[in-house]
Amino acid sequence: MLKNSNIIKVISLLVILPFFTTGVARAEELNVKEFILEHLADSYSWHITRWGDREMVVPLPVIVRSREGGWSLFLSSKLDHGAEYKGFSISQEGAYSGKVVERNGRGEVVRPMIDISLTKTSAALIINSIILLLVILPLARWYKTGTMKPTKGFLGAVEMLLVDIQDEVIKVCVGEDYRRFSPYLLTAFFFIFVNNLMGLIPFFPGGANVTGNIAVTFFLAICTFFTVNVFGNKAYWKEILWPDVPVWLKVPAPLMPLIEIFGIFTKPFALTIRLFANIVAGHSIILGLICIIFITSSMGAGMNTGMSVVSIIFTCFMFFVELLVAYIQAYVFTLLSSVFIGLARAKHEAHAH
Amino acid sequence: MSLLVPDTGLLFWMTVSFGIVFFILIKFGFPVITKAVEKRHDYIEHALEEARMAEEKTAVLHSQAQTILQDARSERNKIIDQAQDIKTKMVNEAKEEAEREARHRIERAQAEIETSKHLSIISLKDEITGISVKIAEKVLGQELEDDEKQLALIHRIMNREVVSKV
């Protein structure tokens, strides 16, 4: 009986819901593409929601160095609605659309020399970093006393994840001296995982598209790139510069070395794009499915109700998929980094082939 | 297209935050945890090994105890058997001894009876002889009371003796 009454509640809610949404959506036609891109992109302020006529926005500090020299630090709320402050404004169109710009001496619109504003993604990055520390450090504190007692509850879950990655990925892929690289690889794993999960929470302080930002994934890939190439052994460099192939492939024209050198850079590139694309795709699909509700609001209550049900079912499904993806992408990044490091550290066994 | 261009400001913040997180975790986080987990892993392995060895030891001890018990049991049975044997032997011996004694006594009693019988017969004979002598005396005394009778007797005897001799 209880189950039935719950179903009735949900259905009645879904019937009522469109009447609210229609009111909102009629006010301005929704541009789906813009809506999605806006949510995926970085911004200078953290827009939470709109409550009636009031926008709920967390202003974030804008930190810029003008081309004329001199640092400026002010809150992003000063630049709301295209306002200008100290010669800075947020460009509404053109190449710098959405970025802070200034007007130089000749009246041209240019980007400031340095723009290290604490944007939405940066702020989320810092929040998530703190969360990450709050997840890992208690576990370290638990073990610092030298206790042999097993961890319980949340710490136990974190430990399970950590030990699993360490034993099944890092130890297997990196090889003998995995201990040297496991702190980096574990940091990368948990960093990506926490950011992925926080990105799935639809409201503040989650919801920022951190790991779906190419700067973030690019940085992580660069870290792996340096680790691989700094700690690569002689065999690794020989394999690149003088690979084990017929001589004519390397002597007059260094065909194979060229390909191998190219390979050094494609690896981090693949890491960058894989993580970025997966997270962006997931967010886009969820946003797109949510948009169905608002798009169909103009097609009448019946249509809208039906499509809302469909949308919510699909969104729920996508959220589950995204939970999986959040883990898988962190896992894959760690796995590939481990494999790359492992290959660069391998004692040359390829000779045997 | 701005989605595909890494933003320098964000790169800066990413470097800062990841750097700090990495530094803190590498200093106070992961090595501590992984070392502790490995230590515990070794400890558990060690404990398991010890438990296994202890189990083996108890199994050995148990089997030893079992054999000792078995030995003790068979020993006990042997002792009981021996005791049984000794008992029967003793009983038999005692029986034989008793029989022998009894026989001996009986024999002695019989011998005694025999002797006493003999003696009594002898004394009886003596008595009878005395009695008969006395009777004879009396008879003879009566017969020899007067001379006639004495002469008659002498004649009778003489007749018998002489006649038989002639």
Side-chain angles (χ1 to χ4, degrees):
Chain A
M1 279 320 283
L2 194 81
K3 217 172 162 187
N4 274 347
S5 70
N6 275 345
I7 289 170
I8 290 164
K9 265 184 214 161
V10 170
I11 289 173
S12 54
L13 193 73
L14 286 174
V15 172
I16 296 164
L17 195 69
F19 295 102
F20 288 107
T21 54
T22 42
V24 177
R26 276 209 185 112
E28 44 185 316
E29 273 303 311
L30 187 73
N31 186 336
V32 177
K33 190 182 156 203
E34 240 171 51
F35 172 79
I36 292 176
L37 283 179
E38 188 196 304
H39 274 80
L40 291 177
D42 206 355
S43 62
Y44 286 94
S45 56
W46 199 322
H47 182 258
I48 297 172
T49 186
R50 180 162 45 190
W51 193 257
D53 285 339
R54 277 186 55 211
E55 297 272 1
M56 290 179 72
V57 177
V58 178
L60 296 166
V62 174
I63 308 163
V64 285
R65 185 180 160 83
S66 161
R67 280 183 194 271
E68 271 88 54
W71 289 92
S72 305
L73 187 148
F74 51 90
L75 281 180
S76 64
S77 50
K78 297 272 199 311
L79 302 179
D80 276 352
H81 312 296
E84 200 173 310
Y85 182 77
K86 286 192 193 169
F88 298 104
S89 62
I90 293 176
S91 169
Q92 304 293 327
E93 58 198 320
Y96 307 131
S97 174
K99 304 265 187 199
V100 166
V101 289
E102 63 174 345
R103 219 166 271 281
N104 68 4
R106 281 168 289 166
E108 292 162 347
V109 174
V110 289
R111 289 275 286 145
M113 195 154 73
I114 299 169
D115 176 9
I116 50 166
S117 309
L118 197 72
T119 56
K120 179 183 172 186
T121 309
S122 315
L125 205 54
I126 289 165
I127 292 169
N128 296 347
S129 297
I130 291 166
I131 290 171
L132 174 57
L133 291 179
L134 290 180
V135 166
I136 300 296
L137 289 182
L139 188 60
R141 208 177 52 217
W142 173 277
Y143 278 122
K144 212 160 202 172
T145 53
T147 178
M148 289 289 176
K149 267 193 275 175
T151 45
K152 278 183 221 147
F154 181 68
L155 287 187
V158 175
E159 187 196 303
M160 187 193 76
L161 211 60
L162 193 153
V163 171
D164 182 55
I165 293 295
Q166 163 111 337
D167 285 354
E168 304 299 326
V169 178
I170 298 171
K171 210 183 267 184
V172 176
C173 295
V174 176
E176 278 171 28
D177 51 354
Y178 70 94
R179 259 168 246 267
R180 219 166 139 193
F181 300 100
S182 85
Y184 163 65
L185 293 166
L186 285 172
T187 310
F189 173 80
F190 279 100
F191 193 86
I192 296 169
F193 191 44
V194 166
N195 278 301
N196 282 350
L197 287 182
M198 289 303 286
L200 288 180
I201 298 172
F203 27 75
F204 185 84
N209 180 26
V210 178
T211 37
N213 190 300
I214 203 154
V216 172
T217 62
F218 175 71
F219 178 84
L220 288 167
I222 288 288
C223 287
T224 297
F225 171 79
F226 277 119
T227 317
V228 168
N229 291 295
V230 169
F231 293 100
N233 61 9
K234 226 155 119 196
Y236 167 73
W237 286 109
K238 190 202 158 280
E239 190 65 14
I240 288 167
L241 299 173
W242 198 253
D244 212 11
V245 290
V247 179
W248 58 270
L249 276 173
K250 348 181 228 198
V251 165
L255 209 61
M256 281 308 287
L258 214 66
I259 291 170
E260 292 283 352
I261 288 168
F262 193 64
I264 297 175
F265 298 98
T266 53
K267 282 172 190 167
F269 183 73
L271 282 180
T272 311
I273 297 299
R274 177 176 288 110
L275 181 55
F276 162 76
N278 271 289
I279 304 305
V280 165
H283 281 232
S284 306
I285 291 170
I286 288 175
L287 288 168
L289 287 170
I290 295 287
C291 280
I292 289 176
I293 298 173
F294 301 100
I295 291 168
T296 53
S297 64
S298 55
M299 298 177 184
M303 183 68 172
N304 193 11
T305 309
M307 289 315 284
S308 298
V309 173
V310 171
S311 162
I312 285 168
I313 289 170
F314 273 107
T315 310
C316 287
F317 174 72
M318 274 315 292
F319 261 112
F320 282 117
V321 173
E322 280 304 296
L323 274 178
L324 210 62
V325 169
Y327 176 76
I328 289 171
Q329 285 312 314
Y331 179 87
V332 165
F333 189 94
T334 317
L335 178 77
L336 287 178
S337 296
S338 306
V339 168
F340 293 157
I341 293 171
L343 284 176
R345 304 281 303 167
K347 307 268 183 302
H348 212 289
E349 282 147 24
H351 254 316
H353 296 294
Chain B
M1 277 303 102
S2 71
L3 265 184
L4 288 172
V5 181
D7 187 71
T8 45
L10 190 55
L11 263 181
F12 167 78
W13 286 110
M14 178 64 190
T15 313
V16 169
S17 49
F18 189 81
I20 292 170
V21 166
F22 184 45
F23 177 77
I24 292 174
L25 289 184
I26 208 172
K27 194 107 177 134
F28 310 107
F30 292 123
V32 178
I33 298 167
T34 48
K35 229 172 264 166
V37 168
E38 256 163 39
K39 215 172 86 189
R40 196 183 56 195
H41 185 258
D42 290 347
Y43 172 75
I44 289 169
E45 217 156 65
H46 188 69
L48 281 178
E49 181 65 22
E50 265 182 358
R52 198 180 57 77
M53 267 156 62
E55 207 172 328
E56 264 172 24
K57 224 186 243 169
T58 34
V60 168
L61 284 178
H62 188 252
S63 71
Q64 274 178 359
Q66 213 62 30
T67 42
I68 288 170
L69 205 65
Q70 206 69 38
D71 285 356
R73 249 187 222 136
S74 61
E75 192 75 11
R76 186 194 66 183
N77 287 346
K78 226 155 66 188
I79 289 168
I80 287 172
D81 284 353
Q82 275 178 359
Q84 203 78 30
D85 284 355
I86 289 169
K87 188 189 84 179
T88 42
K89 221 160 88 189
M90 275 168 79
V91 168
N92 286 346
E93 269 172 17
K95 261 188 201 158
E96 267 169 35
E97 186 77 11
E99 255 167 45
R100 222 173 24 237
E101 187 74 11
R103 220 178 305 134
H104 195 65
R105 283 206 186 156
I106 290 167
E107 273 167 15
R108 241 170 39 202
Q110 272 173 346
E112 247 166 60
I113 289 167
E114 207 64 33
T115 341
S116 60
K117 208 164 93 184
H118 200 66
L119 284 177
S120 60
I121 287 172
I122 289 171
S123 68
L124 206 66
K125 256 184 199 167
D126 286 351
E127 211 132 308
I128 289 169
T129 316
I131 291 169
S132 39
V133 168
K134 266 177 197 167
I135 292 170
E137 253 176 27
K138 284 221 176 123
V139 171
L140 279 177
Q142 256 177 5
E143 284 205 9
L144 295 175
E145 256 175 37
D146 50 73
D147 290 346
E148 276 174 42
K149 275 180 189 176
Q150 266 184 25
L151 280 175
L153 184 63
I154 289 163
H155 278 292
R156 213 171 41 227
I157 295 166
M158 275 294 274
N159 280 340
R160 201 171 50 208
E161 287 292 315
V162 174
V163 169
S164 66
K165 276 226 183 119
V166 175

